[in-house]
Each structure stands twice: as structure tokens, then as C-alpha cells.
Amino acid sequence: MNFFLAAVGVLGVASSGPLIAATLGATTVSALAIAFWRNAIGAAVMASPTLIREPRQFGRITHREFRWCLLAAVALALHFACFITSLQLTSVAAATALVCLQSAWIAVFQLFRGTRHRWQVLAGLGIAFGGVVAITGFDMGSSPDALLGDLLAVAGGALAGLYTLAGGKARQSMTTGTYTTLCYGMCAALVAVLALIGGQPLVGFEAAGWLGILAITVCAQLVGHTAFNHLLATMSPLLVSMIILLEIPGAALLAAVFLHETLPAGTYAGLGLILAGLAVVVLGQRSGKAARRASPAAIGREEPPSDRPLAELGTD
């Protein structure tokens, strides 16, 4: 059963980039409309069971929790704006690989906060960002639009890392349903403001456009991420985190099959470097935490919740 859920989860998150690219290319749907509706629908779906079981949870949100949720929502809204726009400019495979650098960005942010990482993590960061240089270098020679798309995808990954860190702070004292409802809801509101400023419509699309929005929301937002969140209860976070990395080759394969996307050999080499580097980062982080828990000073001290969910890194 776990193998089946893992396969469904990988397929769900890997389909995000190809589905978005296909919807943007074949319909009149705008980039921010996709971001708005997937978050608005996600908030409504997550709010329903919470309102039924624990309606008072929303009335007990503290100022601290709200501030962290707001920061997470802002980061998530900007992440979607960058990532979805990048899919209009560069390849699906490159955009997906570059935005998946969020786990590497988390490690970088932690370095600036004084966290000492093991040498494996630093080596993994070097390998992953070497892949970024390879991809952007090849795209620089192909077109300015592709390079801009790469840079937007990199920014989207950094914003996703910020979203994860802020969400981890909020989740220390909030339930999953309350946090996701508030965060997705505020994200949808922020995206609506961005769409208004940018003149991008949120409604008035043809049937194929609405079908694309629904497919993106169900496959990536609800099925993919829900499957991985369920697996966290039955599998180790390390294993789930490694499985999530299959989104990179999965998106490239789906784009090649359904969108007939072909890339230079150097770009595929960059994808491989990013995948290998992120795997080393994840393994290094987990082994470092295991060593700290085994130390005498850590005995009897519980690990903070925000450090646990390495698998809860997916936003796409």
C-alpha cells in the first residue's frame, strides 16, 4: 500500500509542471489564476473537516501564529507567481528541477542563522548549485527568455524554502487543518491582489481552462501532497524526502512524453547534478540530526517539530 501511495504522490507532484505548462499554452488561463484557484480550492477543502470537528481552532489563533502564517502565505504567493511564470519561459524539466532546490535553500538559510551543517550537506549544496550553473549556462546560450525563466524558478525555490521555514514555526502550535486553511486562504487573497495589479483575469476562461485548473489542483495540491503527508505517518521522513526527489525526473519524463519537450544533453546533466546534490543534502541533514539525538546532551530532549517534516517541502 505504501508503494502505491508513494507512486501516486510522485505522479501527482510531478504532473504539476507539465499540467501548468499545458494549460497556459492551450487556454486563456493566466498564471496567477492558476495560483489563486489552487490555493482557494485547497483552503476550502482543508477548512471543511476542521470547521466540522474543531470549529473553535480558528478563534484561538495567537498573534505569533498569525504573523508566521502571514509570512508563509506571502512567500507561497510569490513562489507560485515566480514558478508558474517560469513555465512560460523555460522548459518544464528545468523549471521543476530549479524550483525543487527549496531543500537546498533551507540549508543555506540555516547556515546564515548559525546552524553548523555536516560536510555532506555542504558538498550536496555545491553539487546541486553546480547543476544550476549547468542549466542556466545552456539556457543563456539559447534565449534570454529561457534564462529569465530559470532565474524565476530559482527564486521560486528560495521562496518555497522561506515558506517551509515560516510554516514550521507556525506548525509548532497549530494543527495541520488550521494552518493550511489560514495559509492557503491568505495566499489566495494575496495572489488575487497581484492579479488585480497585474491585470491578469481570474475568471472568464473556457471549459478547457477550468478543466486544467481543476486537474492541477486535484493532482498536485490534493492528491500528491496528501499522499506524502499520509506516508509521513507510516514511513521515515528520510525515505519520504528521498521519494519526493523523484519529482525532478518524473516531471522531465512527463514533459517529454506529453509535451514532446526535448532538451540539450547538458541540461539533462544539470538535472542529474541537482537530483544527486539534493539527495546528499537530505541524507546529510538526517544523519546530522541522528547524531545530535544520540549525543548525551540531547538525551531526553525532544526534537522541535519544525525540524522534523523534511518531506513537507513540496509546494508545487
Side-chain angles (χ1 to χ4, degrees):
M1 185 62 177
N2 282 347
F3 176 80
F4 173 75
L5 285 176
V8 169
V10 169
L11 186 61
V13 295
S15 69
S16 176
L19 282 173
I20 292 173
T23 301
L24 291 174
T27 70
T28 58
V29 172
S30 63
L32 292 180
I34 293 175
F36 171 78
W37 285 108
R38 67 182 291 177
N39 279 280
I41 295 172
V45 171
M46 296 304 299
S48 300
T50 304
L51 288 172
I52 294 172
R53 293 197 305 262
E54 301 174 292
R56 297 181 181 178
Q57 286 285 341
F58 294 103
R60 293 199 291 264
I61 296 173
T62 65
H63 290 294
R64 173 190 172 278
E65 292 169 343
F66 181 81
R67 286 195 299 270
W68 284 117
C69 279
L70 180 59
L71 177 59
V74 171
L76 185 61
L78 295 176
H79 156 79
F80 278 126
C82 289
F83 174 61
I84 296 175
T85 303
S86 74
L87 289 167
Q88 296 176 294
L89 302 171
T90 190
S91 65
V92 171
T96 302
L98 294 171
V99 84
C100 281
L101 284 166
Q102 62 188 98
S103 54
W105 282 114
I106 289 173
V108 171
F109 293 152
Q110 290 172 336
L111 278 174
F112 284 111
R113 294 170 61 192
T115 301
R116 291 186 176 182
H117 289 302
R118 294 166 61 87
W119 68 267
Q120 292 97 326
V121 174
L122 300 179
L125 289 175
I127 295 171
F129 286 113
V132 175
V133 173
I135 292 175
T136 54
F138 276 92
D139 281 349
M140 185 183 299
S142 62
S143 74
D145 283 349
L147 177 61
L148 176 59
D150 291 343
L151 296 177
L152 284 172
V154 170
L159 288 162
L162 178 60
Y163 156 74
T164 301
L165 290 173
K169 290 290 187 180
R171 283 290 312 279
Q172 288 179 355
S173 54
M174 298 179 71
T175 64
T176 300
T178 306
Y179 166 71
T180 52
T181 299
L182 183 61
C183 183
Y184 288 172
M186 289 194 296
C187 178
L190 290 168
V191 170
V193 173
L194 291 176
L196 181 63
I197 295 173
Q200 294 193 24
L202 298 180
V203 294
F205 312 121
E206 63 271 58
W210 287 112
L211 183 61
I213 290 174
L214 182 61
I216 294 164
T217 303
V218 171
C219 292
Q221 195 90 357
L222 301 179
V223 174
H225 294 164
T226 300
F228 284 123
N229 286 331
H230 176 79
L231 288 174
L232 280 173
T234 58
M235 298 170 62
S236 72
L238 172 60
L239 182 56
V240 177
S241 299
M242 297 299 290
I243 292 173
I244 287 179
L245 294 182
L246 294 175
E247 176 185 356
I248 295 174
L253 180 60
L254 290 174
V257 172
F258 294 103
L259 301 180
H260 308 292
E261 185 175 270
T262 57
L263 303 172
T267 301
Y268 284 114
L271 299 182
L273 285 174
I274 290 176
L275 182 61
L278 292 180
V280 174
V281 169
V282 171
L283 288 169
Q285 286 180 322
R286 293 306 300 173
S287 61
K289 290 172 185 175
R292 288 195 296 272
R293 286 196 295 268
S295 67
I299 294 177
R301 186 180 65 207
E302 187 178 1
E303 185 182 356
S306 59
D307 290 339
R308 287 182 185 146
L310 276 182
E312 293 182 352
L313 300 179
T315 51
D316 306 310

